[in-house]
Amino acid sequence: MTRHFLDIHRLEGSELRAILDDAHARKAARAGWPKGRADADAPAKDRVLAMIFEKNSTRTRFSFDAAIRQLGGASIIATASDMQLGRGEPVEDTARVLSRMVDAVMIRANRHEDVENFARVSTVPVINGLTDRSHPCQILADLQTIEEHRGPVAGKTIAWVGDGNNVCASFIHAAPKFGFTLNVACPAEYHPDLFDLQKGGAAVHLTGDPREAVAGADVVVTDTWVSMGDQDYEARLEAFDGYGVDDALMGLAAPDAVFLHCLPAHRGEEVTDAVIDGPRSLVWDEAENRIHAQKAVLAWCLRG
Ligand code: CP
Ligand code: NVA
């Protein structure tokens, strides 16, 4: 069966754990190697990954490209506006064509349904590289980063502060799968969707108070208040007043708590310079781990 990586809640906990373990192992095995050298097992040898971007990207684009090369494969990258997709060719027809030309497809899409529809007809693995609804690859890199610095994520408490957005949704999906508690602090009008909260179940606690969410937490995470595609910038700045992560808020977390942000960051909005540049911030390791986590996802997809 074709293995798609569309959302964390669609995989078994044991499969996800194996992917994360592979990410740790691949990173450890190539410590100090030049970035262009392939891993010893080269599981993507002779394989081609296509990447389609409907939205901007720095980390996802460069890390997937580096990842497929380190797995021994090659990539083809296009923005949707370069493609007939941008002139209205149906996603399903695009999927049928690319299935004949490449071995896997990563898509960053405006509408989550488009990735689902692409995967429905694709005969090669499809990976969600961020949609309006979720960002599963990011969360694997985040969990890898936490485990590198603080040991197993199972049993930990993670506090999400800010918008109940796509990245938050994937954290929610991950909580019961990896056995951590997720405290989510959002203004009422920017809560996560009920669908996602149901996937998180008892592992997720929702509050309107950032201090309550962060109290004693092992990890504090935030993201932009205005995601790609959001139009209501002014209303959001007003609604998220008091949700910025600063030293005072970090001071309520566990004494050895760490800070994560998927980037790009809006310094002075969701996080202060002092926190993101401070000793508890792991954001650069987190960005690097996009490569290692995505290699594990690609290897899992290509093994299917
Ligand atoms: N975190 C993340 O996905 O970054 P990009 O938008 O730069 O890919
Ligand atoms: N929530 C952000 C994440 C960017 C990586 C967005 O969707 O714009």
Side-chain angles (χ1 to χ4, degrees):
M1 216 180 79
T2 309
R3 280 182 172 177
H4 301 304
F5 187 77
L6 300 181
D7 267 315
I8 287 176
H9 64 77
R10 292 169 67 149
L11 273 72
E12 297 295 332
S14 56
E15 280 176 307
L16 290 160
R17 187 63 249 178
I19 292 172
L20 191 52
D21 289 344
D22 189 39
H24 284 302
R26 287 189 182 280
K27 182 172 183 179
R30 59 176 301 118
W33 286 16
K35 295 184 177 68
R37 186 186 295 171
D39 288 1
D41 61 344
K45 187 172 182 298
D46 302 329
R47 308 289 192 99
V48 178
L49 170 71
M51 288 187 253
I52 304 172
F53 288 93
E54 285 189 343
K55 305 190 195 205
N56 296 53
S57 172
T58 298
R59 280 142 289 266
T60 304
R61 176 178 175 144
F62 285 87
S63 61
F64 262 104
D65 206 354
I68 192 72
R69 291 171 199 225
Q70 290 185 7
L71 294 176
S75 67
I76 302 172
I77 305 178
T79 63
S81 57
D82 295 333
M83 299 172 61
Q84 298 292 5
L85 190 60
R87 295 181 57 242
E89 183 169 17
V91 286
E92 293 85 352
D93 289 355
T94 308
R96 291 181 180 104
V97 171
L98 291 190
S99 293
R100 305 290 184 99
M101 296 181 174
V102 301
D103 299 291
V105 181
M106 194 259 8
I107 313 177
R108 168 165 286 196
N110 290 315
R111 290 160 19 105
H112 192 80
E113 309 87 86
D114 286 341
V115 178
E116 296 274 352
N117 290 337
F118 193 111
R120 205 165 32 77
V121 299
S122 175
T123 58
V124 300
V126 176
I127 298 170
N128 171 2
L130 180 147
T131 69
D132 56 335
R133 297 288 310 277
S134 59
H135 196 4
C137 293
Q138 179 68 53
I139 273 44
L140 289 181
D142 290 9
L143 300 183
Q144 182 174 5
T145 310
I146 293 165
E147 294 200 333
E148 273 173 0
H149 289 267
R150 292 292 181 270
V153 73
K156 297 239 178 322
T157 297
I158 300 179
W160 174 276
V161 180
D163 190 11
N165 64 11
N166 45 2
V167 180
C168 178
S170 289
F171 256 115
I172 291 171
H173 302 161
K177 298 286 183 181
F178 286 93
F180 61 86
T181 296
L182 184 70
N183 296 337
V184 177
C186 301
E189 59 273 45
Y190 297 106
H191 273 180
D193 285 354
L194 194 56
F195 170 87
D196 299 308
L197 289 170
Q198 283 169 344
K199 295 290 175 203
V204 178
H205 305 279
L206 194 55
T207 171
D209 182 356
R211 286 162 307 183
E212 185 187 322
V214 165
D218 302 296
V219 183
V220 178
V221 196
T222 190
D223 183 19
T224 181
W225 295 335
V226 189
S227 286
M228 293 180 278
D230 288 338
Q231 304 296 335
D232 50 343
Y233 180 77
E234 297 299 336
R236 282 171 172 270
L237 283 196
E238 206 170 299
F240 289 108
D241 187 29
Y243 283 81
V245 178
D246 57 15
D247 281 329
L249 192 65
M250 286 301 296
L252 302 175
D256 64 345
V258 295
F259 172 78
L260 297 180
H261 189 310
C262 66
L263 306 176
H266 302 78
R267 292 157 177 264
E269 292 184 9
E270 74 272 10
V271 63
T272 59
D273 283 332
V275 170
I276 199 167
D277 297 328
R280 294 169 147 202
S281 172
L282 302 179
V283 299
W284 313 120
D285 286 350
E286 181 184 7
E288 176 189 329
N289 284 338
R290 294 294 304 279
I291 298 186
H292 309 295
Q294 283 154 197
K295 284 168 67 181
V297 169
L298 283 162
W300 176 82
C301 287
L302 291 170
R303 268 198 307 275

